[in-house]
Structures are given as structure tokens and as C-alpha cells.
Amino acid sequence: MPDILFSHPSYKNKTVYATAGSHTETVLQIARENKIPINFKCQDGKCGKCLVKVTSLADKERMAGPLTDKERSVLVELGKLTQEQIDTMLVDDFPCEWRLACQIIVRDEDLMVEY
Ligand code: FES
């Protein structure tokens, strides 16, 4: 099961060991269950309040996760994703470093989530 290191400049880092069944949970749900104060509002990929930066803690390259259309548009609106990056992600299976915590489903990789 993957480890998720939640990091914020004003709070102590916290590592959460994702448990069985977490592959159906979003990073926001896991954060809330573990009392990690990630901002959120809609929980539906529309408001952009839960913006986080995601990097892999594993030696291997990050797994790309598909962005939904609404997540993609919010990230573009927030200036965190360009059309060129979208094109690269689609062709090269390139993961986006900026994500919405309410839209990321945990996969089998250790992550750092900066919020
Ligand atoms: Fe609104 Fe995630 S809480 S986009």
C-alpha cells in the first residue's frame, strides 16, 4: 500500500499509510480522515480550492492519472496547466504535478502531496 506524505510550510509533515480499499478514495478523503487541513469546498472538481502539488517519492517515474475534463479546465483557469502540457500528457502519458485533491485516486505509488 502506498504512503502519502502530506506537506505544508506551516504544519508538521504527516505520512499516511494508505490502507486496503484506499484505491477508491481521493487524496482529499484520505486527508480529511487523517485530520490534514487541506482546503476544499465543492469536493467535485469545480472550485479549485483543493489544489495540491503532487510528486512521487518512489525511484520510478510517476504514474500518470487521467484528468477529468472539469479538473483539466480548473487547472487551466488557475494557470497550473497549459494546452502544451495537456497535449504532452495525452501523447506521452505525462503526469500533471498540479492536481485537485478531490479528484486524485490513490494508486500504487508513494506520493508527496504539498498543500
Ligand atoms: Fe472543489 Fe476540489 S474541493 S475542486
Side-chain angles (χ1 to χ4, degrees), residues 1-106:
M1 289 287 114
D3 296 343
I4 306 172
L5 171 62
F6 289 95
S7 178
H8 186 282
S10 302
Y11 300 108
K12 191 175 172 195
N13 287 354
K14 183 171 184 178
T15 298
V16 171
Y17 305 98
T19 56
S22 62
H23 286 30
T24 59
E25 289 184 305
T26 65
V27 165
L28 181 60
Q29 288 170 320
I30 293 169
R32 294 187 66 200
E33 285 167 9
N34 289 279
K35 302 191 181 343
I36 292 161
I38 291 181
N39 289 331
F40 67 95
K41 191 174 177 185
C42 71
Q43 299 184 67
D44 191 32
K46 295 177 184 164
C47 71
K49 292 276 186 221
C50 65
L51 180 70
V52 291
K53 187 175 181 184
V54 180
T55 49
S56 177
L57 294 175
D59 290 338
K60 58 185 181 185
E61 290 204 13
R62 258 195 72 205
M63 295 167 142
L67 300 180
T68 61
D69 289 344
K70 61 185 169 186
E71 182 176 17
R72 196 178 306 149
S73 5
V74 169
L75 291 173
V76 169
E77 266 175 44
L78 294 172
K80 299 298 184 187
L81 188 62
T82 64
Q83 186 57 50
E84 187 181 343
Q85 290 170 313
I86 292 169
D87 296 342
T88 306
M89 285 182 342
L90 294 175
V91 173
D92 298 335
D93 205 23
F94 169 80
C96 184
E97 72 174 350
W98 293 99
R99 295 291 309 264
L100 300 175
C102 70
Q103 300 297 298
I104 310 170
I105 301 292
V106 177

